[in-house]
Amino acid sequence: MSDPETVLAAAGAAVGRALAQRRGDRVATPLTESALKTALEAYDFAAPLPLERVVPELIHLLRNFAVRSDHPRYFGLFNPPALLPAIAGDLVAAAINPQLAVWSHAPAAAEIERKLIRLFGSLVWSDVQAAGTFTSGGSEANHTALLAALARCDPSWDRDGVRAHARRPAIYASAESHLAWIKIARMCGLGSDAVRLVPTKDGLQMTGDALARAIAADSSCAPVMVVATAGTTAHGSIDDLAGIARVGRDHGAHVHVDAAWAGGALLHPDYRHLFAGIEDADSVTIDPHKWLAVPMGTGLFLARDWQPLAQAFAVSTGYMPPTSGERHDAYIHSVQWSRRFIGARLFAALATLGLEGYRALIDRAFVLGNQLRARLLADHWHVLNRTDLPLVCFAPVAADDERVRAIEQTVVASGEAWISTVRLRRQLVLRACITSYETEAGDLDALVDVLGQGRRACGTSRS
Ligand SMILES: *Cc1c(COP(=O)(O)O)cnc(C)c1O
């Protein structure tokens, strides 16, 4: 079985069978590490094995030794199953394997990505043709934002690094922001203290006023970047985007909006108002591998212009082709050098679903989110976050941490659904997010049922 068609058809058929059976699988299976170890011990790589054996075994391992974030009753973090056309697009990218470091090596792939960047940019800014790059995810996109901000705030930063700044560079973000910022500050040589976590209003939202107070209290620092989060990971709250941009602008800081998860909803004009003020940002992060359900490893960094990216990343070497400024070759405008055709996944999904199909997918999550909120309220749960996004934080009335954790564990151990816990104003609460485009109303019933069982088993009262 060595001709490409037969090999790929067989592998594809095995993947297809697994996807067809997904709904019948448990969402999570208690891990027996010894069984996993034994399964992997069969692989000593001494003798070659046939692919028709390796692919089904690999699928078996992933189905049985994992939290099934691709399952319709996974109500966890933002890890949806990948859309079929996006998987096909990814397969094409892997098969042809174009090199996107320079435009001239893969003009079709580069222009497809450029087209997608301009499309998403147009959802943020109506007045510019956006710059940007596909990234491995939100973390790399946010890392790119900080590098662009540093380069922009001091013209000698590309040469002198942190020594270019007379005062210590600081980044301001909400206390509820994604803590990739800590790692990013370290990767930029600034140290984690450079990240100033601004207290939120009601434990949820950062306002422009709170940001202004935090900057004013920090006169020894240079505010190089302010970050507004549009859709916090824990509670789905959206910062005061316009207010934060205004304060950032007043201080000469780069204004970045981290919309890694919720930014997918920008594709639907009915939800654009949730992001009012995003157009004031200098750059934006959106993760198509979250709400837009393309395979993992697909982030998007969007910017108003190329200049800060060129400043941050430009180098020249003899073995790279002479590059044209107009082409914005990716290797001199981004973190990566050799570059996979990441955008193929989104291109195939968008071309196949069309904007209408994607809007239906987004709408569906909002509708289900509202249904889940209503069902939990009807079942006497306390809903504790306030957001229009399909993410609900809830707890039994007056429950302590121990009981909340016990309920979470009961739900997860049942294999019926998967949820997690987060802190909200110091209180531990349950968190359920509509993540999969395959989730249906019946799955909400199943979740509310198993939550009720958990609540009874853990001895909390109904009201
Ligand atoms: C998920 C997320 C990130 C990190 O993105 P990755 O794709 O996991 O690297 C950053 N910020 C927010 C708001 C997120 O939701």
Side-chain angles (χ1 to χ4, degrees):
M1 150 159 138
S2 56
D3 75 289
E5 259 185 71
T6 315
V7 170
L8 288 179
V15 170
R17 274 192 301 279
L19 296 188
Q21 292 161 359
R22 166 157 63 203
R23 184 172 263 290
D25 291 346
R26 286 173 60 93
V27 190
T29 309
L31 175 65
T32 24
E33 273 183 66
S34 56
L36 177 57
K37 201 162 159 238
T38 308
L40 293 183
E41 268 163 7
Y43 288 86
D44 60 3
F45 311 112
L49 298 173
L51 191 68
E52 58 269 39
R53 180 180 146 191
V54 174
V55 166
E57 282 187 4
L58 192 53
I59 292 171
H60 171 80
L61 287 170
L62 298 190
R63 281 179 72 183
N64 292 286
F65 297 97
V67 172
R68 294 296 300 281
S69 52
D70 61 329
H71 197 284
R73 273 181 266 119
Y74 172 81
F75 295 97
L77 286 309
F78 315 119
N79 308 307
L83 290 159
L84 290 180
I87 297 171
D90 203 24
L91 181 62
V92 174
I96 310 283
N97 212 21
Q99 165 60 282
L100 274 71
V102 294
W103 187 95
S104 59
H105 249 55
E111 283 300 319
I112 285 172
E113 289 198 343
R114 208 56 63 74
K115 198 175 168 82
L116 293 169
I117 285 163
R118 285 199 291 262
L119 167 66
F120 279 83
S122 73
L123 306 172
V124 175
W125 303 286
S126 54
D127 57 332
V128 294
Q129 206 173 67
T133 55
F134 276 88
T135 64
S136 58
S139 297
E140 188 193 325
N142 285 347
H143 190 179
T144 304
L146 181 54
L147 290 164
L150 287 164
R152 204 181 119 177
C153 286
D154 200 305
S156 71
W157 185 84
D158 58 338
R159 207 184 50 240
D160 295 334
V162 284
R163 282 183 305 151
H165 294 269
R167 290 181 300 159
R168 182 178 188 169
I171 308 140
Y172 293 82
S174 139
E176 292 299 327
S177 65
H178 193 284
L179 291 189
W181 290 117
I182 301 286
K183 286 168 55 175
I184 290 165
R186 288 184 186 143
M187 288 191 283
C188 292
L190 301 181
S192 53
D193 274 0
V195 181
R196 303 305 169 119
L197 296 177
V198 179
T200 49
K201 186 177 83 178
D202 301 338
L204 297 169
Q205 190 203 38
M206 176 166 85
T207 62
D209 292 344
L211 172 64
R213 281 195 297 278
I215 295 178
D218 252 3
S219 55
S220 63
C221 294
V224 291
M225 181 164 82
V226 300
V227 180
T229 307
T232 58
T233 312
H235 315 122
S237 60
I238 297 179
D239 287 342
D240 167 17
L241 306 184
I244 289 165
R246 201 159 42 240
V247 174
R249 200 76 76 236
D250 287 349
H251 287 86
H254 183 93
V255 178
H256 182 70
V257 173
D258 181 3
W261 166 55
L266 283 165
L267 265 186
H268 198 313
D270 287 1
Y271 302 107
R272 178 61 175 77
H273 69 277
L274 298 176
F275 302 90
I278 197 171
E279 61 279 3
D280 297 337
D282 296 304
S283 58
V284 174
T285 289
I286 298 174
D287 254 350
H289 70 202
K290 289 180 174 168
W291 207 329
L292 302 182
V294 303
M296 201 83 81
T298 313
L300 197 47
F301 172 80
L302 303 169
R304 272 186 166 274
D305 68 274
W306 290 100
Q307 189 47 37
L309 291 175
Q311 252 167 281
F313 297 108
V315 285
S316 64
T317 88
Y319 55 79
M320 295 302 279
T323 53
S324 120
E326 296 226 323
R327 297 289 195 214
H328 303 299
D329 279 347
Y331 84 105
I332 47 169
H333 290 85
S334 67
V335 172
Q336 300 178 28
W337 197 292
S338 284
R339 168 174 285 278
R340 181 188 172 87
F341 183 16
I342 299 171
R345 306 157 189 169
L346 186 57
F347 173 74
L350 196 51
T352 316
L353 273 72
L355 283 168
E356 282 315 306
Y358 252 127
R359 285 172 187 155
L361 178 152
I362 291 161
D363 230 356
R364 202 164 183 283
F366 275 98
V367 170
L368 287 170
N370 289 335
Q371 285 178 6
L372 178 60
R373 237 184 306 274
R375 268 168 220 224
L376 289 168
L377 286 169
D379 205 26
H380 309 285
W381 294 87
H382 243 195
V383 169
L384 294 148
N385 65 332
R386 275 188 322 275
T387 180
D388 292 321
L389 298 169
L391 192 171
V392 192
C393 295
F394 58 101
V397 178
D400 59 15
D401 285 8
E402 206 182 317
R403 278 174 165 171
V404 169
R405 206 172 297 285
I407 296 171
E408 175 204 19
Q409 282 163 4
T410 308
V411 171
V412 171
S414 76
E416 287 290 317
W418 199 94
I419 55 164
S420 56
T421 54
V422 290
R423 291 215 173 264
L424 175 49
R425 295 173 223 109
R426 296 217 189 84
Q427 184 191 348
L428 197 70
V429 300
L430 297 157
R431 173 191 182 282
C433 177
I434 307 294
T435 302
S436 168
Y437 54 85
E438 290 179 342
T439 301
E440 293 169 357
D443 297 312
L444 305 184
D445 295 336
L447 172 62
V448 174
D449 261 9
V450 68
L451 277 165
Q453 288 162 27
R455 185 170 52 183
R456 280 191 297 280
C458 303
T460 46
S461 64
R462 265 173 61 104
S463 54

